[in-house]
Amino acid sequence: YDVKWNLWDDLGRVCRSASMITAHLGPRAKSVKVAIPPGTAADFSWQPPSRENAVAKTRLVTILLNAAIPAANHGQRAENEWPALLTILSSLLENLPEANVRLVLFNLDQQQELFQNDEFTAKDVAGIAHATDVLARWKVDANVLRSPLGGWDLIRKLEDTGIHASAAPDTIVFLGLPAANDQKAPDDMPKSGLAKRSRFFYLRYLPPDAPPPRRAPRGPGPTLGGGGGRGMGGMIPMANPRFGYPQPDPIEQAVRRMGGKTIVISSPESLADAISSVKKQR
């Protein structure tokens, strides 16, 4: 592709760039659907015609999207990560035309549920694209500080709602970025014996230039968050590239207790693997 790129601002200043690129999918990414057909000029936010209406709904899937964007020094700007999460969400929806999808948008850091739609489709993605723009992303609410286990309570509520629904989903998918955490999951968090029908997945987006996660060495070490690391339930995102330090991501811990699987997405190939795992049914 011969790419010519132009950017100009309100003062009339212009930045131009030209380059040649080659786009292709690797052998493991064959299940990734290329949305824009060859030889087509389209808007950046272009959405392909949905196949959902042409396919009978034979399964129920719940997607729990964590809108929290940790302020971590991993080389990626926050405004780049939210569109990446929506891209993963769109890819899931396009590859699950047979599923009736319930979407819950929540913010783990702020301990609140933001949005819910029991019949969410690909065309609805645009409606939540800017859902978090009005939020003060890293604002610490006093009520959050008063509830050190509030993050775990929110995860428990989200899991219980899916598990005990009158029409329980066959698959429950958490989607989000890794969060800093210094707490082990409370013993009263749900366990796998409660979910007789539902499979659990955590699709954890890892920006391509982020450093790999590292576990902290044993022994005393620095804590995360204020008040000895207990603010916001020990889930305050900090400028520490060792996300998951010293405990694994809280959602990863919760999904593990449910007998689920965490899949790290950092490339088209890993996205294809995640989609393939979610598409499979028992």
Side-chain angles (χ1 to χ4, degrees), residues 24 49 63 78 83 133 166 168 175 184 203 211 213 236 238 255 268 281:
H24 62 88
I63 299 178
D133 288 351
S166 56
L175 170 60
K184 185 177 180 180
L203 306 188
I236 294 181
M238 301 295 289
V255 168
Q281 295 179 265

Side-chain angles (χ1 to χ4, degrees), residues 213-251:
R214 293 180 289 171
R215 293 287 177 245
R218 293 186 177 182
T223 58
L224 300 178
R230 297 301 172 187
M232 296 176 73
M235 298 179 190
I236 294 181
M238 301 295 289
N240 186 336
R242 292 184 293 178
F243 49 80
Y245 169 89
Q247 295 290 344
D249 184 305
I251 297 177

Side-chain angles (χ1 to χ4, degrees), residues 74 88 176-178 204-213 243 264-267:
H74 51 59
I88 296 172
L177 287 153
R204 190 177 68 196
Y205 172 58
L206 180 66
D209 51 3
F243 49 80
V264 178
I265 298 177
S266 59
S267 66

Side-chain angles (χ1 to χ4, degrees), residues 189-211:
M189 289 292 289
K191 293 185 178 180
S192 57
L194 297 175
K196 298 180 180 179
R197 286 189 51 195
S198 303
R199 299 179 308 151
F200 278 78
F201 290 96
Y202 177 25
L203 306 188
R204 190 177 68 196
Y205 172 58
L206 180 66
D209 51 3

Side-chain angles (χ1 to χ4, degrees), residues 38-252:
T40 301
D43 183 78
F44 183 71
S45 59
W46 181 80
Q47 287 286 338
S50 176
R51 297 175 294 154
E52 293 163 339
N53 294 333
V55 179
K57 304 299 182 182
T58 58
R59 58 185 298 199
L60 299 175
V61 175
T62 293
I63 299 178
L64 307 170
L65 174 57
N66 182 15
I69 307 293
N73 291 333
H74 51 59
Q76 186 78 312
R77 296 175 62 87
E79 56 265 33
N80 293 338
E81 293 173 329
W82 179 236
L85 290 176
L86 294 181
T87 297
I88 296 172
L89 173 62
S90 297
S91 298
L92 274 175
L93 294 170
E94 286 297 326
N95 283 275
L96 293 171
E98 76 286 0
N100 186 62
V101 175
R102 174 177 180 262
L103 178 80
V104 178
L105 181 69
F106 69 100
N107 189 310
L108 185 59
D109 295 331
Q110 297 180 0
Q111 302 176 7
Q112 60 179 320
E113 189 175 315
L114 307 174
F115 171 86
Q116 176 180 322
N117 187 332
D118 292 338
E119 296 183 355
F120 194 80
T121 65
K123 67 177 182 296
D124 297 320
V125 173
I128 65 166
H130 306 291
T132 61
D133 288 351
V134 297
L135 300 178
R137 288 189 185 277
W138 301 296
K139 180 180 179 181
V140 179
D141 188 275
N143 292 326
V144 171
L145 295 177
R146 296 190 192 102
S147 180
L149 296 178
W152 295 113
D153 291 340
L154 176 58
I155 294 175
R156 181 189 295 108
K157 175 186 174 184
L158 294 171
E159 289 184 328
D160 285 343
T161 300
I163 294 171
H164 300 298
S166 56
D170 63 78
T171 305
I172 296 177
V173 181
F174 281 92
L175 170 60
L177 287 153
N181 177 45
D182 73 345
Q183 286 189 346
K184 185 177 180 180
D187 292 337
D188 61 350
M189 289 292 289
K191 293 185 178 180
S192 57
L194 297 175
K196 298 180 180 179
R197 286 189 51 195
S198 303
R199 299 179 308 151
F200 278 78
F201 290 96
Y202 177 25
L203 306 188
R204 190 177 68 196
Y205 172 58
L206 180 66
D209 51 3
R214 293 180 289 171
R215 293 287 177 245
R218 293 186 177 182
T223 58
L224 300 178
R230 297 301 172 187
M232 296 176 73
M235 298 179 190
I236 294 181
M238 301 295 289
N240 186 336
R242 292 184 293 178
F243 49 80
Y245 169 89
Q247 295 290 344
D249 184 305
I251 297 177
E252 180 180 353

